[in-house]
Amino acid sequence: MTTAPKTCFIIMAIGEQVHAGSIVTSADLRSRYDNLIKEAILKAYPGIDVIRADDVAVPGSISSDIVERIMSSDFVIADVTYPNPNVFYELGLRHASRIGTIIIRDRSGPMVPFDISHLRFIEYEDTTAGLRNLSVKLREYMAFVEKNQDKPDNHFLEIAKYKKHKFLDFSEETSEELEIITAFMQNPELFAVASRAGAGGEVDQMELLAAMQANPESAKQIAKIVARSNSASNQPNRQARRSAKKGR
């Protein structure tokens, strides 16, 4: 029986960044990923499946596929060189999900933000020697994670373990609910409107209509799922009414 390869998801800035008055282009960042970060990972752990966000989604979007990979990948490597909101949001999601997160940064980049400065991270240099050193350190971190599957690797999980925090269990969610959540998350506009409604915020009916018109296929999919779910939930009531009529 063939064992599925280990998986590694890369969190990093993808679009153009500005640092110390200089512009770092998306092409520069792609090159750094392809020729340094990904190469170092493959040298550290041959055969591992490595993927970056823009390989599975439109740049700038947080699709359901990205969230799933953040939650389930064996390893997540987060490059926090640039103060990018998406990077820190995705890093936070991962920290709340499971262990196996490795933080890296370019030694020549800006200082690490205070909120994560206490966490361990690997500094790298974008050179041939830097690639070799990054690979060695990644190998050490990955080996440690695999030998310590019950050891929290971030402050959030450490406190959760200490407090014996009981996380929400979504394992009993119905397939219809999961389908609806997935359909919403695949479309940022619909997801934003639904998130505000779920948080008790005001939902502009015109805004909701505009979001549905902008995403007709998803709106149609959600409508079908809701109709199917309502039909299934109303089935017992219809059967009860038929039984009552027969008993008259």
Side-chain angles (χ1 to χ4, degrees):
M1 182 178 179
T2 303
T3 304
K6 293 285 187 177
T7 54
C8 180
F9 183 72
I10 309 302
I11 296 173
M12 66 179 292
I14 294 173
E16 183 179 282
Q17 305 294 308
V18 178
H19 169 53
S22 299
I23 294 177
V24 181
T25 68
S26 58
D28 293 332
L29 292 168
R30 182 76 205 193
S31 176
R32 180 180 303 190
Y33 165 63
D34 287 332
N35 302 318
L36 177 71
I37 297 173
K38 185 175 182 179
E39 190 69 20
I41 295 168
L42 292 174
K43 286 181 180 295
Y45 205 122
I48 194 169
D49 183 17
V50 185
I51 195 165
R52 196 173 78 154
D54 57 338
D55 293 329
V56 296
V58 176
S61 69
I62 309 291
S63 71
S64 57
D65 192 17
I66 289 176
V67 173
E68 195 279 329
R69 289 173 188 275
I70 289 171
M71 293 190 297
S72 65
S73 293
D74 296 297
F75 299 99
V76 162
I77 294 179
D79 186 344
V80 299
T81 299
Y82 302 102
N84 181 278
N86 272 16
V87 168
F88 294 122
Y89 176 67
E90 293 173 19
L91 176 60
L93 290 178
R94 173 62 177 196
H95 275 173
S97 300
R98 58 181 292 181
I99 66 167
T101 307
I102 302 172
I103 301 175
I104 64 175
R105 68 177 291 269
D106 189 328
R107 189 186 302 275
S108 64
M111 294 292 292
V112 174
F114 175 78
D115 288 11
I116 63 169
S117 61
H118 63 286
L119 298 174
R120 296 178 64 189
F121 54 86
I122 300 173
E123 289 190 327
Y124 66 82
E125 294 179 349
D126 194 359
T127 63
T128 301
L131 187 155
R132 183 169 56 252
N133 292 334
L134 177 59
S135 178
V136 169
K137 291 178 180 178
L138 286 175
R139 185 182 304 119
E140 293 172 353
Y141 269 67
M142 290 170 149
F144 179 83
V145 169
E146 292 193 318
K147 291 178 181 178
N148 297 272
Q149 292 292 316
D150 61 343
K151 184 177 177 60
D153 62 0
N154 66 77
H155 195 48
F156 179 87
L157 289 182
E158 285 175 351
I159 292 178
K161 183 176 182 180
Y162 173 73
K163 292 288 188 179
K164 295 181 172 59
H165 178 72
K166 184 176 176 61
F167 288 91
L168 292 174
D169 182 3
F170 295 107
S171 60
E172 298 302 320
E173 293 283 349
T174 66
S175 60
E176 286 82 6
E177 289 170 323
L178 291 175
E179 286 182 68
I180 290 173
I181 291 171
T182 299
F184 270 118
M185 291 187 69
Q186 287 175 340
N187 293 278
E189 297 90 348
L190 284 172
F191 185 58
V193 175
S195 296
R196 284 198 295 278
E202 292 290 331
V203 177
D204 187 317
Q205 296 298 318
M206 294 303 295
E207 181 185 17
L208 177 60
L209 181 61
M212 294 178 70
Q213 290 176 337
N215 301 276
E217 289 303 316
S218 291
K220 186 186 301 182
Q221 180 185 358
I222 293 168
K224 286 182 179 179
I225 296 169
V226 172
R228 189 177 70 219
S229 179
N230 288 339
S231 176
S233 62
N234 289 330
Q235 187 68 24
N237 294 331
R238 288 196 293 268
Q239 291 176 343
R241 286 196 296 270
R242 283 196 294 268
S243 296
K245 287 180 180 179
K246 290 180 181 179
R248 288 177 181 173

